[in-house]
């Protein structure tokens, strides 16, 4: 029975642990997505800030309506090779609203026209676009660094729609490092929290299982034993007698039964009260237990009636047991 209880408890432990692991995996996946989305949004805002503070002030609406001249390209080159490089910008491309390249740090791209679709088309409509790329760029080996590829709408003062789009590439490593640190921290908190929840649930279920098992055992004991004396009751005595008779028949042996009651027990109840009668019954039960073997069964059949089963006893053994019982009650 104890093995059965352990098995049921361990089944619950295993099933709940698997469930907690699945919940944890889903939460960790969601946390990672949310943290990485926030890191991408932060990097995008950084790209937007770069555009607003370094390139936009150098441009005017008229400049974005025509090809830039050499002096204007030189000014942006100065900004790119100076402050923007120090900020980590790897590549810079400026488009007008039709997709024509007005400026590129790789000058041979200037004048090319790119179809205003995809990220470029979305940015021309006024929505900043960004994604992570590992494609090689100027000064960066193929796959050696993860970069933020951002398309930032260039909206000049007094204009409702973007006059152009600035494409730039920023190192994503700082944002990714911060995101990974947040993911590790939140993952650790989730793991600890779910483990504590599992332990709490396991303790509750284990305690409830022990309580139910104890109550079941107590109910089973009460169903087979006399509640006052703790001796076997009539049902248990009958069951053990049947077993003893079958065993005796199979082994060609004998079994003996002794029946007894307490003389003048009713007078004790009537004169001294039921409390004294109960005390007398319990004392009688103790004396009966002390006179018999471990394999024998003592039962209270009801009232002041008792019975003794000697599963391996013949007439001689029965007489000897009766003598011991009589002697025990003579004090």
């Amino acid at each position: 029975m104890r093995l059965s209880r352990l098995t049921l408890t361990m089944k619950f432990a295993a099933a709940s642990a698997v469930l907690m692991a699945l919940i944890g995996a889903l939460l960790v996946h969601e946390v990672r997505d949310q943290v990485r989305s926030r890191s991408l949004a932060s990097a995008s805002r950084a790209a937007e800030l770069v555009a607003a503070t370094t390139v936009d002030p150098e441009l005017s609406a008229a400049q974005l309506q025509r090809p830039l001249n050499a002096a204007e390209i030189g000014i942006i080159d100065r900004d790119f090779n100076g402050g923007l490089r120090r900020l980590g910008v790897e590549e810079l491309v400026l488009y007008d609203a039709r997709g024509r390249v007005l400026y590129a740090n790789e000058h041979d791209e200037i004048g090319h026209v790119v179809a205003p679709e995809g990220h470029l088309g979305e940015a021309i409509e006024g929505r900043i676009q960004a994604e992570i790329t590992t494609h090689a760029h100027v000064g960066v080996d193929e796959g050696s660094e993860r970069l933020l590829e951002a398309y930032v709408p260039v909206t000049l003062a007094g204009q409702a729609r973007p006059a152009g789009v600035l494409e730039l590439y920023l190192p994503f490593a700082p944002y990714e490092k911060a995101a990974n640190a947040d993911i590790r921290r939140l993952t650790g908190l989730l793991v600890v929290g779910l483990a504590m929840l599992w332990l709490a649930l396991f303790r509750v279920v284990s305690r409830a299982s022990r309580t139910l098992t104890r109550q079941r055992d107590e109910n089973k004991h009460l169903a087979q034993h006399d509640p006052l004396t703790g001796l076997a009751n009539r049902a248990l005595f009958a069951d053990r007698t049947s077993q003893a008779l079958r065993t005796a028949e199979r082994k060609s042996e004998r079994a003996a039964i002794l029946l007894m009651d307490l003389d003048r027990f009713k007078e004790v109840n009537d004169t001294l009260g039921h409390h004294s009668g109960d005390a007398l019954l319990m004392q009688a039960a103790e004396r009966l237990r002390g006179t018999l073997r471990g394999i024998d069964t003592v039962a209270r059949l009801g009232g002041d009636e008792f019975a003794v089963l000697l599963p391996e006893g013949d007439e001689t053994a029965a007489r000897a047991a009766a003598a011991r019982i009589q002697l025990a009650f003579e004090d």
Side-chain angles (χ1 to χ4, degrees):
M1 190 62 67
R2 182 171 297 176
L3 179 60
S4 176
R5 294 202 303 270
L6 180 62
T7 300
L8 290 175
T9 303
M10 294 309 296
K11 282 182 179 179
F12 168 79
S16 59
V18 170
L19 180 60
M20 287 295 180
L22 290 175
I23 293 174
L26 291 174
L27 289 175
V28 168
H29 179 74
E30 181 64 22
V31 165
R32 286 177 176 173
D33 286 347
Q34 292 296 326
V35 170
R36 286 169 178 167
S37 295
R38 287 199 299 271
S39 66
L40 181 59
S42 298
S44 300
R45 287 193 295 271
E48 193 171 11
L49 181 62
V50 168
T53 57
T54 60
V55 177
D56 289 4
E58 304 289 350
L59 302 173
S60 65
Q63 289 173 315
L64 292 177
Q65 299 297 321
R66 58 171 175 76
L68 299 180
N69 57 41
E72 293 165 338
I73 292 175
I75 292 173
I76 300 179
D77 276 340
R78 182 197 63 201
D79 292 337
F80 176 76
N81 292 316
L84 294 182
R85 280 289 194 186
R86 286 194 297 272
L87 290 173
V89 177
E90 300 288 347
E91 187 173 343
L92 187 69
V93 181
L94 176 64
Y95 303 90
D96 65 14
R98 295 181 297 275
R100 180 178 56 185
V101 177
L102 300 179
Y103 172 83
N105 58 290
E106 292 289 333
H107 287 180
D108 56 355
E109 297 181 17
I110 296 175
H112 292 177
V113 178
V114 179
E117 57 189 17
H119 288 333
L120 179 59
E122 294 289 331
I124 290 174
E125 294 297 322
R127 294 179 290 273
I128 184 171
Q129 301 294 304
E131 66 177 4
I132 309 304
T133 179
T134 55
H135 185 70
H137 296 285
V138 176
V140 180
D141 294 333
E142 180 71 28
S144 63
E145 184 180 9
R146 286 164 63 80
L147 300 172
L148 174 76
E149 179 183 0
Y151 294 80
V152 182
V154 177
T155 304
L156 301 178
Q159 292 187 341
R161 291 179 57 81
V165 172
L166 190 67
E167 177 188 1
L168 66 160
Y169 293 80
L170 287 170
F172 191 64
Y175 303 96
E176 191 168 39
K177 182 178 180 180
N180 289 336
D182 288 342
I183 289 172
R184 287 192 297 271
R185 179 175 58 84
L186 293 174
T187 299
L189 291 174
L190 280 173
V191 170
V192 171
L194 288 174
M196 293 178 65
L197 176 61
W198 179 84
L199 287 174
L201 288 174
F202 181 77
R203 289 184 62 186
V204 170
V205 172
S206 179
R207 188 180 300 115
S209 176
R210 289 194 300 270
T211 300
L212 291 174
T213 300
R214 184 172 61 253
Q215 291 176 347
R216 181 194 63 191
D217 292 342
E218 290 175 355
N219 291 336
K220 182 179 179 180
H221 180 82
L222 290 175
Q224 297 180 332
H225 293 80
D226 175 54
L228 177 63
T229 63
L231 298 177
N233 61 14
R234 185 183 294 271
L236 181 57
F237 185 78
D239 180 65
R240 290 186 178 177
T241 298
S242 298
Q243 294 180 25
L245 292 175
R246 287 194 297 269
T247 301
E249 183 178 4
R250 186 173 64 254
K251 295 182 177 180
S252 299
E253 296 178 350
R254 291 186 178 184
I257 294 177
L258 303 177
L259 298 176
M260 66 200 76
D261 59 22
L262 302 179
D263 291 340
R264 303 172 66 186
F265 176 72
K266 186 175 183 302
E267 295 180 13
V268 174
N269 270 339
D270 292 342
T271 58
L272 300 178
H274 290 284
H275 176 74
S276 296
D278 289 345
L280 177 60
L281 290 172
M282 289 187 287
Q283 183 63 231
E286 286 298 319
R287 295 194 180 195
L288 285 171
R289 287 193 189 96
T291 61
L292 301 173
R293 303 169 300 176
I295 62 172
D296 300 334
T297 298
V298 184
R300 181 188 176 201
L301 303 182
D304 64 343
E305 296 179 353
F306 295 87
V308 175
L309 170 65
L310 307 174
E312 298 177 2
D314 53 13
E315 182 178 351
T316 301
R319 289 181 181 275
R324 291 196 302 273
I325 292 172
Q326 187 175 8
L327 181 62
F329 280 84
E330 287 180 355
D331 294 341

